[in-house]
Amino acid sequence: MEKVIDEALQGSALVLETDTRGPRKLYIESYGCQMNFSDSEIVASILAREGFDTTQELEEADLVLVNTCSIREKAETTVRKRLEKFNAVKKNKPQMKVGVLGCMAERLKSQLLEEEKIVDMVVGPDAYKDLPNLIREIDDGRQAVNVILSKEETYGDIAPVRLNSNGVTAFVSITRGCDNMCTFCVVPFTRGRERSRDPLSIVKEVSELWDNGFKEVTLLGQNVDSYLWYGGGLKKDYEKASEVQKATSVNFSGLLKMVAEAQPRMRIRFSTSNPQDMTLDVIETMASYSNICNYIHLPVQSGSDKILKRMNRLHTRAEYFELIENIRAIIPDCAISQDMIAGFPGESEQDHKDTLSLMEYVKYDFGFMFAYSERPGTMAARKLEDDIPQETKIRRLREIIELQQKHSLLRTRQHVGKTAEVLIEGTSKKSDEHWMGRNSQNTVVVFPKEDYQPGDFVNVHIQDCTSATLIGKAVGYSENN
Ligand code: SF4
């Protein structure tokens, strides 16, 4: 073992010891939202400095990390089943170490060490820079835990190692945490208060991606519309900032402009938006830059004002419709997707009908729909009885999914007969003879490969569709290629 002081981390007083035993194998499994997949790339980068190479083979691993999600009970059950699986591998490789990262680590903390004996280390989403120290502890046979939530950490100084990358599209995280306290959501408890990343470090990362052949980025955050850079620190402390800091602050539409102008040929997407924080200037900025895609993921969760109130969603049904109208007026061909929860506590049949009629009004392109799953520690779990019978939740969820499928097909049919610019991401899952890519509206398009290559912008004439996929034939390179 050899001791090395890492200049960058000296401020936060972390001392790293670089392992001279030669490269070790790191295996990472990620679950949940895009933020988690992006975080795993940060982790791989931090550990690459410690001599860890990533492997896709579990049996090869010296260190196994699971980056977890807590959004629903099922997500945690999935992780526990995987940990059981690791037991078998560990029997043949007792020196293998196992660590749990992400929201489940933050929610359960050291309790996870008691409940899952195979786990050596528990690390929360804001403590990944402490991994080298924590690994040193488990290498010495101790267990290790760091679940401290940060007021500053954005990992803006860490260049992610792209994992399972198609070499064409990449995630770039822009904020961490969330200050909205939706009553059903664990995120504010597992990812802490909102803080935004320095826009210059974001533009630098996007430019490096372009230089490395990537053609599309998705700017990531639990609530991107709430992005606000004023020199670092928590969003909630903005009011205490100096006049200069306020005058030079950068909000989300400002960041979109900076990225779109810095790399005018890079396609730009963003996720996830919250209707209560989305402002007109963001929509107008999208309309002003052809490299910002015409697609918004705009979770609504319910169509009933009564339920929106119980969820502490700070907008009404009418305000949501107004936002949809503004989007449609400023970007007529903008695709919109949703998140919906069926069977929230106290949801009457009329509330459910309000959700269906809201969907009828918007006719979303696609959505992510789930039955309500009570999460320990949330306001809803503490204050609201989970009183909707499971069979009613499932029936309502089925009705929501069926309606969404009808609307998805309606939306994809609108593309048939038209030509769309598609960025090729790779081979279609269904056929080796076909490429898959996406149009600006984030709809998957498949077409025969011919001489085109991943990373090409191609004009595709849409001949047919399913509710999720457009089927076509390439008619030449796009002017953006
Ligand atoms: S906006 Fe609401 S649902 Fe989304 S991460 Fe924040 S608290 Fe959770």
Side-chain angles (χ1 to χ4, degrees):
M1 281 285 198
E2 174 191 333
K3 193 175 280 224
V4 177
I5 304 288
D6 181 297
E7 311 307 322
L9 297 173
Q10 202 154 41
S12 49
L14 283 178
V15 179
L16 304 177
E17 291 189 6
T18 303
D19 188 325
T20 56
R21 281 177 292 196
R24 290 201 275 173
K25 294 288 181 190
L26 166 65
Y27 174 89
I28 303 186
E29 262 181 30
S30 308
Y31 294 86
C33 66
Q34 295 165 326
M35 276 305 282
N36 256 6
F37 285 80
S38 167
D39 281 357
S40 294
E41 297 184 334
I42 300 275
V43 166
S45 178
I46 291 170
L47 294 184
R49 284 195 223 181
E50 297 303 302
F52 281 90
D53 291 342
T54 52
T55 173
Q56 310 263 346
E57 306 306 322
L58 176 58
E59 290 67 27
E60 283 182 7
D62 300 299
L63 175 64
V64 173
L65 297 178
V66 192
N67 196 352
T68 63
C69 170
S70 271
I71 206 78
R72 273 171 290 280
E73 191 172 345
K74 186 165 174 293
E76 294 195 354
T77 313
T78 306
V79 167
R80 291 186 192 274
K81 287 200 183 113
R82 283 306 284 161
L83 292 173
E84 271 165 40
K85 268 260 170 9
F86 298 156
N87 266 319
V89 179
K90 185 145 181 162
K91 280 210 182 72
N92 306 330
K93 199 172 184 175
Q95 74 279 19
M96 182 179 91
K97 299 292 182 188
V98 175
V100 174
L101 314 181
C103 292
M104 194 176 169
E106 191 65 46
R107 191 177 80 74
L108 294 169
K109 304 179 173 39
S110 50
Q111 185 188 331
L112 251 178
L113 296 172
E114 290 137 34
E115 293 172 356
E116 304 289 346
K117 296 301 175 212
I118 191 173
V119 177
D120 304 290
M121 176 173 68
V122 175
V123 191
D126 285 350
Y128 297 148
K129 282 184 182 165
D130 194 25
L131 273 165
N133 281 315
L134 299 168
I135 290 168
R136 203 175 55 237
E137 284 188 49
I138 62 174
D139 280 345
D140 294 346
R142 294 186 294 276
Q143 291 183 313
V145 177
N146 186 339
V147 287
I148 297 167
L149 286 173
S150 167
K151 290 188 173 163
E152 298 91 26
E153 189 59 78
T154 65
Y155 301 116
D157 56 339
I158 306 280
V161 168
R162 307 295 161 180
L163 299 171
N164 314 322
S165 173
N166 59 14
V168 175
T169 61
F171 296 140
V172 175
S173 79
I174 65 169
T175 69
R176 297 188 72 80
C178 187
D179 288 352
N180 294 333
M181 296 302 281
C182 303
T183 57
F184 55 83
C185 186
V186 289
V187 170
F189 306 97
T190 58
R191 286 187 167 267
R193 298 279 70 73
E194 245 170 63
R195 65 224 97 115
S196 296
R197 184 179 159 192
D198 181 343
L200 296 178
S201 78
I202 296 169
V203 168
K204 179 168 172 285
E205 184 176 336
V206 173
S207 300
E208 282 164 4
L209 283 164
W210 179 262
D211 297 343
N212 291 315
F214 287 81
K215 298 290 177 61
E216 179 182 292
V217 291
T218 299
L219 306 180
L220 281 185
Q222 314 295 155
N223 181 14
V224 289
D225 300 285
S226 188
Y227 176 91
L228 182 63
W229 172 260
Y230 63 97
L234 294 177
K235 167 101 187 257
K236 72 176 182 57
D237 296 334
Y238 174 72
E239 287 319 316
K240 297 181 214 146
S242 70
E243 287 317 310
V244 175
Q245 283 179 311
K246 287 182 179 172
T248 54
S249 64
V250 179
N251 65 8
F252 189 48
S253 62
L255 176 69
L256 280 175
K257 271 195 192 82
M258 284 175 73
V259 175
E261 290 174 1
Q263 290 298 336
R265 296 176 58 207
M266 178 73 95
R267 237 189 198 183
I268 301 164
R269 299 186 187 280
F270 56 86
S271 187
T272 295
S273 288
N274 186 309
Q276 67 209 53
D277 297 307
M278 181 167 253
T279 47
L280 270 185
D281 58 334
V282 168
I283 306 167
E284 283 152 359
T285 302
M286 289 176 70
S288 322
Y289 292 89
S290 62
N291 60 332
I292 301 179
C293 292
N294 294 344
Y295 162 64
I296 299 174
H297 181 52
L298 201 60
V300 69
Q301 310 296 0
S302 171
S304 148
D305 280 331
K306 182 189 96 188
I307 298 299
L308 287 171
K309 215 172 175 61
R310 289 168 78 92
M311 288 176 165
N312 192 32
R313 303 286 282 184
L314 305 181
H315 65 82
T316 62
R317 179 183 166 90
E319 285 161 343
Y320 188 81
F321 286 161
E322 192 187 333
L323 178 57
I324 296 291
E325 289 319 314
N326 285 331
I327 293 169
R328 297 251 155 94
I330 298 168
I331 312 172
D333 67 349
C334 189
I336 303 174
S337 59
Q338 45 89 348
D339 285 359
M340 211 65 87
I341 294 176
F344 189 75
E347 185 186 72
S348 66
E349 208 52 38
Q350 182 50 51
D351 297 322
H352 172 55
K353 286 200 174 80
D354 290 346
T355 293
L356 297 175
S357 63
L358 175 139
M359 291 174 72
E360 230 12 288
Y361 184 94
V362 181
K363 293 189 176 52
Y364 292 99
D365 291 71
F366 61 93
F368 304 91
M369 300 146 281
F370 299 93
Y372 173 67
S373 167
E374 185 180 85
R375 304 310 295 136
T378 58
M379 192 66 86
R382 279 183 272 141
K383 298 268 170 73
L384 305 172
E385 192 206 339
D386 186 4
D387 57 357
I388 309 298
Q390 190 60 17
E391 66 272 10
T392 304
K393 282 183 187 175
I394 301 306
R395 189 259 304 163
R396 288 177 183 170
L397 178 61
R398 195 181 55 248
E399 289 173 9
I400 289 171
I401 291 173
E402 282 167 5
L403 184 58
Q404 182 53 59
Q405 271 163 351
K406 200 177 104 199
H407 293 155
S408 294
L409 185 59
L410 182 140
R411 291 292 180 198
T412 50
R413 280 200 177 127
Q414 290 171 340
H415 294 275
V416 175
K418 297 181 181 155
T419 296
E421 180 196 70
V422 175
L423 171 59
I424 302 177
E425 293 177 28
T427 297
S428 158
K429 285 202 191 86
K430 293 221 176 89
S431 151
D432 286 347
E433 320 302 310
H434 290 74
W435 288 127
M436 75 70 71
R438 290 165 208 274
N439 61 7
S440 177
Q441 287 76 12
N442 204 31
T443 313
V444 169
V445 183
V446 294
F447 57 97
K449 286 186 172 179
E450 299 178 46
D451 301 332
Y452 301 105
Q453 292 303 320
D456 286 348
F457 285 100
V458 180
N459 288 329
V460 177
H461 181 65
I462 308 302
Q463 298 160 322
D464 196 358
C465 67
T466 67
S467 63
T469 307
L470 303 176
I471 299 151
K473 181 165 183 0
V475 290
Y477 291 103
S478 129
E479 68 206 7
N480 292 319
N481 197 46

